[in-house]
Amino acid sequence: MWPDWLRSPSRGHPRSKSFSCSSFKDIQSILTEDSEPESEPRSPRSPSVFHRVRISASVLRSWAHKNPIPSSLRIPNQGIVVYFTSLRVVRRTYEDCRTVRSILRGFRVPIDERDLSMDNKFLDELQGIIGGCNNNNSRSLSLPRVFIGGRYMGGAEEIKRMNETGELLQLISGLQLVGSTFCDFCGGLRFILCEECSGSHKIYTEKYGFRSCTACNVNGLIRCPSCCPVLRRCT
């Protein structure tokens, strides 16, 4: 009745005991069963770098609440000093630093902005200040940190509260006003490339070869001479 080439090759032959199927649907169901994961639990994926940074930031904030920095802490600078970071790795820290700088710049007074991400010396400097009053762990730092008149004021929450109550205006009312807080020379970055090494942090001499430049930091940057002279007189 049917030609030989249309007949099923399974007719007349014994079916395999290990595998048998009558349609493509059966094949699909078998493949689905083989692809099902085993009952053993999967190992959790390692957290991303940003996730680990967020966890570290939350730990530092909780440490700061348990180990508050005393308000009696003082530094030699009698102006406004802000330790902050311009990195956007931790969004909350970046937003806090930007908010504090915006509030202080609104008073149009000289501000010594010390960006820890631009110069490692500021990090060592702040660790030395905080470590002097807290011996538990000098590396547990949260930003920003604000000093006014040589006295420690606090972080973002304290500055926002003082600004709302008018206490911040009273503290800085005696400081000299400036025309603009934006510097055209450095673009508001407070740093420029070192002219001695052209930003390479290396200087070559025939006698000693390549040596580290002593005029700049490890990033090949120096403080802007246009917007920092007033700040240096306070130190």
Side-chain angles (χ1 to χ4, degrees):
M1 181 177 178
W2 296 95
D4 294 338
W5 59 275
L6 287 177
R7 294 179 181 178
S8 174
S10 61
R11 296 180 180 179
H13 298 280
R15 294 185 177 181
S16 173
K17 296 181 179 181
S18 59
F19 175 81
S20 63
C21 62
S22 58
S23 65
F24 289 102
K25 184 177 181 181
D26 296 333
I27 296 177
Q28 183 178 3
S29 62
I30 293 175
L31 294 177
T32 304
E33 293 177 358
D34 294 340
S35 61
E36 290 181 357
E38 298 180 358
S39 58
E40 298 180 359
R42 294 182 179 180
S43 59
R45 294 184 300 176
S46 58
S48 63
V49 175
F50 292 99
H51 181 64
R52 292 196 297 267
V53 172
R54 292 190 185 97
I55 293 177
S56 301
S58 61
V59 171
L60 293 181
R61 288 192 182 94
S62 62
W63 181 94
H65 289 293
K66 296 179 181 179
N67 301 273
I69 301 175
S71 57
S72 59
L73 180 64
R74 294 183 176 274
I75 60 174
N77 196 314
Q78 296 300 314
I80 300 178
V81 180
V82 181
Y83 291 92
F84 73 101
T85 178
S86 58
L87 294 180
R88 304 190 182 189
V89 177
V90 183
R91 182 175 181 178
R92 181 176 176 182
T93 300
Y94 172 76
E95 293 293 339
D96 288 344
C97 293
R98 188 177 66 171
T99 300
V100 168
R101 294 171 64 199
S102 177
I103 292 175
L104 295 176
R105 287 183 176 184
F107 293 100
R108 298 175 57 189
V109 294
I111 305 173
D112 189 352
E113 298 180 345
R114 303 183 179 183
D115 190 350
L116 275 65
S117 62
M118 298 287 284
D119 196 338
N120 292 332
K121 293 181 181 179
F122 294 149
L123 176 59
D124 298 335
E125 181 178 299
L126 182 58
Q127 286 177 348
I129 297 172
I130 305 301
C133 64
N134 267 322
N135 297 325
N136 294 334
N137 190 356
S138 61
R139 293 186 178 273
S140 298
L141 303 174
S142 60
L143 299 174
R145 297 293 184 181
V146 181
F147 294 83
I148 299 179
R151 187 163 60 94
Y152 175 70
M153 294 290 103
E157 297 299 327
E158 291 78 7
I159 296 300
K160 288 188 289 186
R161 177 181 55 80
M162 294 171 62
N163 183 47
E164 293 175 357
T165 59
E167 184 181 356
L168 186 60
L169 177 60
Q170 296 178 1
L171 289 174
I172 64 178
S173 58
L175 299 179
Q176 182 180 3
L177 297 178
V178 295
S180 174
T181 58
F182 183 82
C183 178
D184 296 329
F185 191 73
C186 64
L189 298 176
R190 302 295 191 263
F191 284 89
I192 61 172
L193 287 178
C194 177
E195 297 180 355
E196 299 293 333
C197 61
S198 299
S200 64
H201 193 54
K202 295 292 182 181
I203 295 180
Y204 177 80
T205 59
E206 296 181 357
K207 183 177 182 179
Y208 299 104
F210 284 100
R211 304 191 67 178
S212 299
C213 178
T214 57
C216 61
N217 58 25
V218 294
N219 298 320
L221 302 174
I222 60 174
R223 300 296 297 273
C224 176
S226 178
C227 58
C228 292
V230 176
L231 306 176
R232 283 200 298 265
R233 286 202 296 267
C234 298
T235 58

